[in-house]
Amino acid sequence: MKRTLTTGAATLLAMIALGATALQAKTLVYCSEGGPENFTPALNTTGTSLDAARPVYNQLVEFERGSTNVVPGLAESWDVSPDGLTFVFHLRKGVKFHTGVNGFKPTRTLTADDVLFSFNRQSKDDHPYHKVSGGAYDYYSDMEMPTLIKSLEKVDDLTVKLVLSEPNAPILANLAMDFATIHSAEYADFLLKAGKPEQFDQIPVGTGPYSFVAYQKDAVIRYKAFADYWGGKAKIDDLVYAITADATSRYAKLKKGECQVMFGPNPADLKAIGEDKDLVLLNKPGLNIAYWAFNTQKPPFDKKEVRQAFAMAIDKDAILKDVYQGAGQAAKNLIPPTIWSYNDKVVDYPYDTAKAKELLAKAGVTTPLDIDLWYMPKQRPYNPNGKRIGEMMQADLAKIGINAKLVTYEWGEYRKRLQQGEHMTGQLGWTGDNGDPDNFFFLLGCAAARPGGQNLSKWCNKDFDDRLNQAKKLTDKAARTKLYEEMQQIAHDDMPSYNIAHSVVFEATTKNVVDYRISPFGRHEFYGVELK
């Protein structure tokens, strides 16, 4: 894809810089924190990339805006067999695809072929697009979809049959996640014939409420309302993502009217935003976790006593006070207390420098010890300032004889290297995708401990994993809850990662924004939003 700024996008940027007052009646500008790696959700795990693709696409089933309820999407209805293994999805008739900015013009509406293309790309090695853009489908693999999906068949043009290898309680919610986005098989064929398959992931074509117009890397993304959207034309004619990495700069743009919605205000700015008569401050308890992973495949973190010692060396209360400034709560479990099955009986490790030293000695660790401590280079909903947290951890560890070298990389490279297991210790976090506890616990599952997987501690515990796999097969909520409570205790005792905080998510808008809703999943969704 050309990286040059189109004339239209350049003009738009200039108008934004001047306040864009003439456009505000029909244009919504969202000040986002980062640019996408590409526009194909199946290839991504980070919110910045998923947010950028979301206006363009739909899934078979979707989450009702602002809630965890699963509602019809491209499938207007579905049937489930009594044993919970077979799902028959009935597709909407007449769903249209966008026209691409690269010359693609659709000749047909949505069919079962598009559904099969979208899933087979991720599951079949011989699929013509499987290896395009690297071919890493981390969500699909880490959630064990390759073994869970026994077959996916086209019954007719508007009917798809999905057969599972075993019952799976969260399957419908999982299919509402971004990795299950439905793409145009016709568009894929068009690009293959043109010898440009790489454009498929950089110039998106979907069925969503907005069609893609242009992307200037790390600057601006522009979308236009799709007049033929099956759900009805969006109330916002033009949607713009003004990529602004710094929270202070995003706030300044919001105050000037250069954007109408902003991601992630600084905790220190919350009071001023709340008191500004021209702004609206929204908040919601975050379905999230910030954590610090110990790579259990690298000594001395292969010993649980060492991991426990590190947990006792960190002053968590100081981090909450200094970094979160009242917008977070201490985390002792991987899941937040807002999710069912939270085990409040787990007792968090105390901040105890003397005990930490004792545990290190018991594990045979001599100090001083050199380690690396990877910190996040980008603000996320669950972590307002990764560098500051890293510095505070570094100071705490020095008290027990640990010399922690702070390390970071560009955001995409950072996550890639973490998932490959290059770190000794590293910060990351998670915002839930579907409201089911499984969507958090898979992060510590054995399937996700593979190189490239999202289990950053590379920890594989049979007791934990057996319960994880058993819980997914059950429909009895009480039985699942019991297993998840036991898993939280196992993870606490073995300490593959140190849970830092669950944050409150804040977003700010200008007064003229109507019906913008904070997503429990950290999504940013603009269909249904309008401007006064």
Side-chain angles (χ1 to χ4, degrees):
M1 179 183 176
K2 290 183 179 180
R3 299 298 178 121
T4 56
L5 188 60
T6 65
T7 301
T11 302
L12 181 65
L13 275 177
M15 296 185 77
I16 291 171
L18 293 171
T21 55
L23 288 179
Q24 286 180 1
K26 64 176 183 176
T27 299
L28 187 143
V29 180
Y30 165 53
C31 274
S32 67
E33 80 284 16
E37 296 156 277
N38 56 65
F39 290 88
T40 292
L43 295 167
N44 302 309
T45 61
T46 181
T48 49
S49 293
L50 299 178
D51 268 345
R54 201 165 282 125
V56 179
Y57 296 116
N58 295 111
Q59 294 78 43
L60 290 173
V61 294
E62 301 186 341
F63 293 111
E64 185 178 35
R65 189 164 60 96
S67 83
T68 60
N69 298 329
V70 176
V71 297
L74 293 177
E76 61 184 359
S77 64
W78 54 90
D79 306 310
V80 186
S81 63
D83 60 7
L85 294 177
T86 302
F87 292 74
V88 178
F89 293 96
H90 305 283
L91 305 182
R92 295 181 187 276
K93 185 177 181 180
V95 173
K96 295 183 178 181
F97 284 96
H98 308 150
T99 295
V101 296
N102 54 357
F104 170 71
K105 294 181 180 179
T107 64
R108 63 168 177 81
T109 55
L110 173 79
T111 72
D113 293 329
D114 302 305
V115 178
L116 266 60
F117 168 88
S118 303
F119 283 90
N120 289 343
R121 177 186 181 180
Q122 300 178 71
S123 64
K124 298 184 181 299
D125 291 345
D126 60 351
H127 190 281
Y129 272 83
H130 184 73
K131 292 182 173 62
V132 173
S133 302
Y137 306 99
D138 292 326
Y139 259 123
Y140 196 81
S141 299
D142 291 352
M143 297 177 71
E144 302 182 77
M145 298 298 284
T147 54
L148 177 62
I149 296 179
K150 184 177 181 180
S151 65
L152 183 68
E153 304 169 10
K154 173 182 177 179
V155 178
D156 58 42
D157 277 353
L158 294 176
T159 312
V160 176
K161 182 168 74 171
L162 171 68
V163 180
L164 305 181
S165 58
E166 60 187 26
N168 184 273
I171 185 63
L172 277 176
N174 289 345
L175 291 177
M177 290 166 53
D178 293 283
F179 79 88
T181 284
I182 306 304
H183 297 263
S184 167
E186 185 185 19
Y187 180 49
D189 289 342
F190 167 83
L191 290 176
L192 271 183
K193 291 173 182 175
K196 301 175 181 178
E198 70 284 350
Q199 287 189 4
F200 188 83
D201 303 315
Q202 299 296 341
I203 304 176
V205 166
T207 59
Y210 293 93
S211 61
F212 173 81
V213 176
Y215 172 44
Q216 169 65 12
K217 184 173 172 58
D218 297 328
V220 65
I221 316 172
R222 184 183 173 195
Y223 314 85
K224 191 168 189 64
F226 182 37
D228 294 323
Y229 180 53
W230 58 266
K233 184 177 180 293
K235 298 172 184 177
I236 301 297
D237 294 320
D238 295 289
L239 176 64
V240 178
Y241 283 21
I243 299 167
T244 312
D246 179 65
T248 301
S249 298
R250 292 195 296 273
Y251 178 30
K253 287 184 177 183
L254 188 76
K255 288 194 294 184
K256 293 176 183 176
E258 293 176 8
C259 61
Q260 288 76 46
V261 180
M262 73 164 282
F263 165 86
N266 280 323
D269 293 329
L270 295 176
K271 186 174 185 294
I273 295 173
E275 294 174 349
D276 191 323
K277 62 181 177 57
D278 295 321
L279 303 178
V280 176
L281 182 64
L282 304 171
N283 71 85
K284 196 166 195 170
L287 207 66
N288 60 37
I289 177 70
Y291 62 83
W292 180 35
F294 306 120
N295 190 335
T296 61
Q297 295 180 353
K298 291 187 176 182
F301 298 104
D302 54 342
K303 298 180 179 180
K304 74 175 182 180
E305 291 83 6
V306 173
R307 302 192 295 267
Q308 291 171 344
F310 273 60
M312 291 186 179
I314 303 302
D315 188 347
K316 188 179 298 186
D317 288 341
I319 291 174
L320 285 163
K321 182 178 180 180
D322 184 279
V323 179
Y324 289 85
Q325 298 183 33
Q329 65 182 103
K332 59 183 180 180
N333 296 317
L334 186 64
I335 62 172
T338 49
I339 289 189
W340 60 271
S341 80
Y342 181 81
N343 188 351
D344 201 30
K345 294 180 181 178
V346 169
V347 179
D348 202 4
Y349 289 86
Y351 171 49
D352 190 333
T353 301
K355 182 66 174 177
K357 289 180 178 178
E358 182 183 318
L359 279 174
L360 284 181
K362 179 181 177 182
V365 173
T366 57
T367 56
L369 172 70
D370 294 333
I371 68 161
D372 59 44
L373 196 168
W374 292 31
Y375 69 88
M376 293 171 50
K378 184 178 290 295
Q379 179 187 6
R380 299 301 303 135
Y382 47 77
N383 187 331
N385 192 333
K387 183 178 183 181
R388 178 59 184 153
I389 291 178
E391 291 168 345
M392 294 181 74
M393 287 180 164
Q394 182 185 51
D396 285 342
L397 292 172
K399 298 172 185 175
I400 63 169
I402 306 297
N403 300 320
K405 178 185 177 182
L406 297 182
V407 176
T408 197
Y409 296 92
E410 177 275 328
W411 181 227
E413 188 71 12
Y414 178 83
R415 290 180 301 101
K416 179 182 177 181
R417 288 172 178 263
L418 278 178
Q419 288 179 220
Q420 288 298 330
E422 294 183 20
H423 62 294
M424 292 180 75
T425 76
Q427 296 175 12
L428 206 64
W430 189 255
T431 296
D433 293 296
N434 62 19
D436 194 283
D438 176 76
N439 185 246
F440 281 81
F441 292 128
F442 90 95
L443 294 169
L444 291 177
C446 293
R450 62 184 174 82
Q454 295 174 82
N455 181 342
L456 303 186
S457 58
K458 307 305 175 187
W459 178 72
C460 181
N461 180 292
K462 186 177 185 302
D463 291 336
F464 183 95
D465 214 56
D466 286 348
R467 287 167 172 80
L468 175 65
N469 293 323
Q470 184 182 350
K472 286 187 289 192
K473 301 174 187 177
L474 302 174
T475 55
D476 186 311
K477 192 172 182 179
R480 291 183 76 198
T481 293
K482 183 176 184 297
L483 292 171
Y484 289 142
E485 287 176 345
E486 292 171 358
M487 288 160 58
Q488 288 165 77
Q489 190 64 56
I490 292 169
H492 168 272
D493 295 345
D494 220 45
M495 190 50 62
S497 58
Y498 175 76
N499 298 314
I500 302 170
H502 309 292
S503 75
V504 177
V505 175
F506 289 90
E507 294 184 40
T509 74
T510 52
K511 280 280 190 183
N512 62 330
V513 174
V514 179
D515 202 24
Y516 177 76
R517 305 175 190 176
I518 293 184
S519 164
F521 309 122
R523 298 175 170 212
H524 295 92
E525 299 167 306
F526 300 99
Y527 181 68
V529 178
E530 60 182 316
L531 294 173
K532 289 180 182 176

